[in-house]
Amino acid sequence: MLKLVQYDKYASSGRHKKPMKIFFTPGPSKIYPTVEKHMRKAFLEDILSISHRGTVFKKIFEETVASLKQLLNIPKEYHVVFLSSSLEAMERIIQSLVEKESSHFVNGAFSDKFYETSIVLGKKANKHNFNPEPIRFRVSSKPITRTPNSSELICFTQNETSNGTQIPLEKIYSFKKSHPKSIIAVDAVSSIPYADIDYKMIDVVFFSVQKGFGLPAGLSVVVLSPKAFEKAKKKENKGFHSLLNLVQNSSKSQTPETPNVLYLYLLNKVIKDMLKTGIEKIRKETEEKADLIYSFFEKNQNIFPLVQENEQRSKTVIVLKTKNDSNEIIEKLKRKNIIVGSGYGEFKNEHIRIANFPAHSLSDVKQLLKCFPKFL
Ligand SMILES: *Cc1c(COP(=O)(O)O)cnc(C)c1O
């Protein structure tokens, strides 16, 4: 106990020495404000040492799944499993649900990774590019078209973190009707919990906790419909981390491996905090903050939103195009303790990416925008 008190003193004096940076990077990002408190509590409650086969762990697992279902309105017959990252989730989804063929709507670097995963795993993967490459000022609204009926899995990246575009959910839902035999999988890594998904219209949804949940990286969540689970059973992929084995374990509030118990504990606590705030309020505030950022840069000639069409603009990852080298602006903001993301891949020096997650308060956003006039 004495040690913890000393640690407390150390931590708070540490905080006074150095002003806090605000991370607007699109994941990892600003940590949800209550995480520090929950981590200390986890330490005191021995969460770091308990067995993952004991009753305390089972209760943590059960509660985390239940609170996730409550926050995101996931139907109770749907399955929830955990992996270490969303990139891993892509691999497990292809391995467990595709015998031969998948289709991918590619609107940026992350959807392309999903497509590449299928190729690497030896499947026939169909790629539908629906943004012109390279993306410059305008993203086309080329319609999303039909894909072969032989596609067992149809994949979307609802929120493209690489370029700040989003696919309206209704467009994704329409595939459930036009491709009744296929399984619809959605990467919603950087839009959940903002994205108000109708899970009945989708079979697989996955996300990582270092984006919208404001936690450290290293845990991802995969939500599966009964239909997706049936397919996993039929495919009989026997690996430890096959979706089949993960669901069979999770139905007993267990995991095949020794899991990161601390992260499950923290995720549950952060979701409970979000439930207290109310998901409606969180979603409304996300839109208000996004509007504030977009309208601030709208008419500017030097730094302006990359995506022109409102319908395609992400509310949670705002990408700005800069006339000059974006790295200079990023470095200047850093000196003001504002950390923003650079452009993704080939656009590293042309874009700035700003995360707008539930951990970011309205006052954080105002502070960010206050630092910009000098560059405009
Ligand atoms: C960050 C991100 C990923 C990868 O998540 P990891 O947890 O790093 O594997 C995948 N898709 C999208 C859209 C992302 O933003």
Side-chain angles (χ1 to χ4, degrees):
M1 203 57 196
L2 183 66
K3 272 200 177 121
L4 266 168
V5 173
Q6 283 171 347
Y7 172 70
D8 257 4
K9 275 187 194 158
Y10 167 78
S12 50
S13 67
R15 201 180 300 143
H16 289 301
K17 263 185 228 147
K18 215 169 73 175
M20 291 282 274
K21 294 186 177 100
I22 309 175
F23 282 83
F24 287 95
T25 37
S29 195
K30 184 183 171 186
I31 293 297
Y32 202 75
T34 55
V35 169
E36 187 177 345
K37 177 185 85 185
H38 296 314
M39 269 177 120
R40 285 162 193 274
K41 192 119 184 285
F43 207 87
L44 291 171
E45 289 176 6
D46 296 327
I47 299 302
L48 284 68
S49 303
I50 58 162
S51 161
H52 56 296
R53 302 295 176 218
T55 50
V56 176
F57 172 74
K58 283 188 187 165
K59 191 158 170 281
I60 292 171
F61 190 102
E62 239 170 64
E63 269 192 36
T64 309
V65 171
S67 51
L68 259 171
K69 284 188 171 179
Q70 190 186 348
L71 183 78
L72 302 177
N73 202 16
I74 298 168
K76 68 174 186 316
E77 67 275 18
Y78 276 47
H79 306 280
V80 176
V81 300
F82 301 95
L83 288 166
S84 65
S85 73
S86 286
L87 221 54
E88 186 191 5
M90 291 178 193
E91 202 168 278
R92 301 307 175 206
I93 289 163
I94 302 281
Q95 279 172 339
S96 297
L97 302 177
V98 182
E99 312 257 3
K100 295 193 181 82
E101 186 175 341
S102 62
S103 284
H104 302 260
F105 287 92
V106 174
N107 49 328
F110 287 102
S111 34
D112 207 33
K113 279 192 177 142
F114 208 171
Y115 162 75
E116 285 293 335
T117 304
S118 188
I119 295 280
V120 166
L121 293 173
K123 313 297 176 191
K124 177 179 189 292
N126 308 304
K127 181 175 182 170
H128 304 275
N129 273 315
F130 69 106
N131 279 331
E133 305 252 7
I135 301 155
R136 294 285 163 180
F137 301 98
R138 186 168 271 274
V139 178
S140 93
S141 41
K142 203 168 132 188
I144 302 176
T145 48
R146 273 185 78 88
T147 192
N149 280 332
S150 48
S151 297
E152 297 151 79
L153 186 76
I154 303 177
C155 306
F156 295 93
T157 299
Q158 198 266 325
N159 197 71
E160 244 308 344
T161 317
S162 61
N163 55 32
T165 55
Q166 65 142 355
I167 306 174
L169 285 164
E170 284 68 28
K171 289 205 169 145
I172 300 175
Y173 300 157
S174 70
F175 274 76
K176 183 99 179 158
K177 292 181 198 116
S178 59
H179 297 76
K181 289 219 179 89
S182 306
I183 286 174
I184 314 291
V186 176
D187 170 342
V189 177
S190 54
S191 51
I192 280 185
Y194 166 71
D196 189 3
I197 293 174
D198 180 355
Y199 288 81
K200 297 255 186 223
M201 302 305 287
I202 296 173
D203 299 298
V204 185
V205 177
F206 61 94
F207 52 91
S208 300
V209 301
Q210 77 271 23
K211 315 264 166 126
F213 287 96
L215 285 164
L219 181 71
S220 72
V221 179
V222 185
V223 180
L224 297 161
S225 72
K227 179 180 164 184
F229 180 51
E230 284 310 310
K231 172 87 188 201
K233 270 203 273 194
K234 232 170 82 191
K235 193 159 180 298
E236 280 192 50
N237 187 330
K238 295 265 190 336
F240 274 120
H241 279 129
S242 65
L243 294 180
L244 177 60
N245 198 39
L246 284 163
V247 171
Q248 283 169 342
N249 271 269
S250 83
S251 63
K252 293 175 275 179
S253 297
Q254 286 285 281
T255 56
E257 78 296 344
T258 313
N260 196 324
V261 183
L262 175 64
Y263 282 10
L264 287 173
Y265 173 93
L266 292 175
L267 178 60
N268 181 36
K269 295 291 181 194
V270 166
I271 293 171
K272 291 237 158 83
D273 294 331
M274 288 181 170
L275 283 166
K276 250 180 252 157
T277 306
I279 190 68
E280 292 314 318
K281 188 164 177 230
I282 289 172
R283 288 177 177 150
K284 198 166 149 269
E285 281 176 1
T286 302
E287 286 170 4
E288 284 167 4
K289 289 179 290 161
D291 286 349
L292 204 63
I293 300 171
Y294 278 120
S295 55
F296 185 87
F297 293 103
E298 197 74 76
K299 297 256 154 34
N300 199 273
Q301 304 291 316
N302 297 322
I303 308 174
F304 46 89
L306 174 72
V307 183
Q308 300 295 302
E309 289 85 354
N310 194 34
E311 199 197 33
Q312 296 185 0
R313 274 183 181 170
S314 165
K315 305 280 185 200
T316 51
V317 180
I318 291 134
V319 179
L320 304 171
K321 164 123 179 102
T322 60
K323 204 170 137 199
N324 303 316
D325 190 347
S326 64
N327 193 46
E328 283 174 26
I329 301 166
I330 292 168
E331 285 303 317
K332 280 184 190 159
L333 288 170
K334 214 178 261 176
R335 276 176 240 142
K336 303 238 169 253
N337 290 313
I338 300 279
I339 316 297
V340 297
S342 62
Y344 193 91
E346 62 179 309
F347 302 106
K348 188 170 177 32
N349 295 318
E350 292 175 41
H351 298 168
I352 290 174
R353 292 183 302 152
I354 298 169
N356 173 30
F357 294 145
H360 298 109
S361 66
L362 185 64
S363 91
D364 290 336
V365 169
K366 284 182 177 161
Q367 205 171 322
L368 164 80
L369 297 179
K370 222 166 67 188
C371 292
F372 266 100
K374 298 160 201 76
F375 317 122
L376 297 178

